[in-house]
Amino acid sequence: MTREQTMAQPETGAVGQSTGLAGRRFQVRDHYEVGREKVREFARAVQNHHGAHQREPDARKLGYEGLIAPPTFASVIGMASTRALLDSVLTDYDLTQVLQTDQVFEMRRPILAGDRMQTEVLIDSLRQFGDNDFIHVKFVLRNQHGEIAQVGSSTIVARRGADVDPNLVEAVESIFMHVRPSELDETGPLAELPVAGVPLDIPAREPALVHTLPAFEELSPGTALPAGSARLTRGDLANYAGVSGDPNPIHFSDRAAELVGLPTVVAHGMLTMGLAADYLTSWLGDPTAIEKFSVRFSGFVPVAADAATTVDFSGKIKSLDAGSRTGTIMLSGAADGRKLFGRALAEVRFA
């Protein structure tokens, strides 16, 4: 299964629907406590430079007492939840053959250092396309006050272990980081909720005060954002792998990349999404102004062993709503002449 083969979404008429897992809902038994230093580490890993991720006085300027987690910080919590699903529910799949095709974050309130997040996950659908299964998972993150901080979804594509070449499995297992499933007790990390098939009840977001730099009255549809860029090295990839908890060896091993048909080690899709979030935040001036951020991955960032790779970003205002003072921004990313996103949209609120 090559990276490029999995980037394409299954087309209508070519997909079989599996209902055995679809509709099942789970709650992660343990909460995730957002550490102050973890927020700082993650901000450095995704190169999110806003001061509110590092210093309490900068967070207070935006109206919050604790450090504000970067817009894509929920991916750390989501990675742990995905691993729990693969360890205890989606056990037919080979963890070394799992890739992500898209990600959506809807921010209801910032995640702050000190928050205790409870995670609920729903296997929304499972579609079969050729040798691959496309598994769409929705999630809800609630803080210690029962308030919804984020909702979102992710699509992962995977092969069942029996469908993977045994020679490939043997080779990758010599590289792959072996992680023992974390279990609180003999019942496992997930508790299945007796509400299968019931849609998630998510209330509408309440408008929040933001402190953005662009003057809404001076903006118009079609306005281009200033170009931006970021640099990635193998060290950045190794750091992100550790901070995020993503052990896929295609992000650090040339041999693993070769085995799945890649020309070299490639950056994590969620790392490139995090870089894009900083590009957008740098223009907005306030990370909490991002209300929704969605990306469909279509390419990858190759990172050589002895040279940095530059990732270029651009953006354009797609639409504006004067009544709510919100806008939709289209984002683009490219590296080494390769387009990274099939679609990248952000819904933002202006002061």
Side-chain angles (χ1 to χ4, degrees):
M1 177 172 63
T2 69
R3 181 82 173 190
E4 283 145 324
Q5 286 172 327
T6 60
M7 287 296 101
Q9 294 292 312
E11 299 178 359
T12 303
V15 180
Q17 180 74 38
S18 176
T19 58
L21 293 170
R24 295 178 66 184
R25 188 182 300 181
F26 304 86
Q27 182 169 301
V28 178
R29 294 182 188 277
D30 199 8
H31 67 272
Y32 182 97
E33 187 157 348
V34 182
R36 178 174 179 265
E37 300 312 314
K38 187 69 172 184
V39 169
R40 288 173 164 172
E41 287 178 359
F42 186 82
R44 287 193 292 269
V46 293
Q47 302 180 30
N48 281 204
H49 303 295
H50 196 282
H53 307 316
Q54 298 288 342
R55 299 176 294 274
E56 282 85 359
D58 290 301
R60 284 194 284 270
K61 290 178 183 177
L62 300 180
Y64 302 94
E65 288 303 313
L67 294 185
I68 299 171
T72 61
F73 182 85
S75 61
V76 176
I77 307 174
M79 176 59 66
S81 301
T82 299
R83 193 159 52 237
L85 276 175
L86 291 167
D87 288 341
S88 58
V89 180
L90 304 174
T91 54
D92 288 340
Y93 297 97
D94 174 35
L95 187 58
T96 67
Q97 295 287 302
V98 172
L99 291 172
Q100 187 173 12
T101 63
D102 60 61
Q103 177 70 56
V104 178
F105 294 114
E106 295 184 40
M107 295 72 161
R108 300 306 174 93
R109 61 183 64 248
I111 296 175
L112 305 177
D115 279 350
R116 293 160 59 95
M117 309 304 299
Q118 194 71 55
T119 307
E120 184 178 330
V121 294
L122 167 70
I123 302 176
D124 186 51
S125 65
L126 193 157
R127 296 179 293 167
Q128 298 171 335
F129 179 64
D131 294 331
N132 300 323
D133 284 0
F134 287 75
I135 307 163
H136 189 244
V137 178
K138 294 182 178 179
F139 69 87
V140 180
L141 299 180
R142 290 183 173 86
N143 63 21
Q144 65 273 24
H145 308 296
E147 302 164 328
I148 294 178
Q150 282 195 23
V151 299
S153 64
S154 178
T155 301
I156 60 175
V157 58
R159 284 188 181 180
R160 297 179 184 273
D163 298 330
V164 181
D165 183 344
N167 295 324
L168 176 60
V169 172
E170 182 180 359
V172 172
E173 283 186 347
S174 299
I175 305 168
F176 195 77
M177 175 182 173
H178 293 277
V179 182
R180 183 179 179 182
S182 58
E183 297 184 357
L184 297 179
D185 51 41
E186 67 278 2
T187 60
L190 299 176
E192 184 157 8
L193 300 176
V195 286
V198 180
L200 295 173
D201 183 19
I202 307 298
R205 175 188 171 117
E206 296 180 5
L209 181 66
V210 295
H211 302 77
T212 49
L213 297 176
F216 181 85
E217 289 73 19
E218 297 177 0
L219 301 175
S220 60
T223 299
L225 278 60
S229 64
R231 296 173 74 252
L232 289 176
T233 66
R234 288 282 178 95
D236 293 319
L237 271 55
N239 182 50
Y240 182 80
V243 171
S244 68
D246 185 342
N248 195 323
I250 65 172
H251 305 304
F252 60 82
S253 166
D254 286 297
R255 177 59 177 154
E258 176 189 350
L259 287 169
V260 297
L262 291 167
T264 187
V265 161
V266 300
H268 309 69
M270 290 307 304
L271 173 53
T272 62
M273 190 175 183
L275 298 177
D278 180 71
Y279 165 70
L280 182 59
T281 295
S282 297
W283 177 68
L284 288 170
D286 182 349
T288 71
I290 302 174
E291 295 191 338
K292 183 176 181 179
F293 189 19
S294 63
V295 165
R296 175 170 292 170
F297 303 105
S298 63
F300 54 80
V301 179
V303 181
D306 56 355
T309 298
T310 298
V311 185
D312 296 308
F313 294 105
S314 59
K316 184 171 64 175
I317 298 175
K318 180 181 179 182
S319 62
L320 294 167
D321 186 324
S324 61
R325 298 182 70 83
T326 58
T328 299
I329 313 297
M330 296 189 300
L331 299 171
S332 298
D336 201 27
R338 187 187 302 272
K339 180 181 177 182
L340 303 181
F341 309 134
R343 178 210 63 227
L345 293 173
E347 297 176 10
V348 303
R349 180 173 298 276
F350 296 95

